[in-house]
Amino acid sequence: MRSQLGPIDRHFWLNRSVARTMGVNFSEAIAQGRLDAPGYAALLTKCRAADCCEQCEIWLAQQSGPVDEAPEHCANREALNALRD
């Protein structure tokens, strides 16, 4: 993990893109009570603290359809997989 947080815009879109590739919609998860605002903020912060943006961008570029799991390198893999179930 890095000591400095990465740019929020970049990580917002990376989180959203990985989640969408998995069929996870954060707005729906919040509306259904499966995710709350502090939990969502924690996901973004965890991503911002990780050093895997380039890996995520490459992974996203390689996807041609829905996937069942978050990529191995994803800092939020466990949480995103749980939201998909």
Side-chain angles (χ1 to χ4, degrees):
M1 294 240 180
R2 297 182 337 193
S3 60
Q4 189 173 17
L5 297 178
I8 194 161
D9 289 348
R10 183 178 189 193
H11 295 274
F12 169 84
W13 290 109
L14 285 173
N15 263 290
R16 181 180 165 117
S17 297
V18 170
R20 279 191 158 186
T21 301
M22 297 174 60
V24 173
N25 181 308
F26 289 128
S27 297
E28 287 179 12
I30 290 169
Q32 295 167 350
R34 298 179 329 127
L35 180 65
D36 60 13
Y40 180 65
L43 287 175
L44 288 178
T45 301
K46 190 170 186 178
C47 180
R48 291 178 69 202
D51 190 21
C52 57
C53 287
E54 289 80 17
Q55 289 175 293
C56 280
E57 290 167 347
I58 292 167
W59 182 85
L60 286 164
Q62 294 171 341
Q63 304 314 306
S64 59
V67 299
D68 293 330
E69 295 184 339
E72 293 285 332
H73 65 267
C74 181
N76 288 318
R77 177 179 168 77
E78 187 175 311
L80 290 174
N81 288 344
L83 286 170
R84 182 160 191 314
D85 294 336

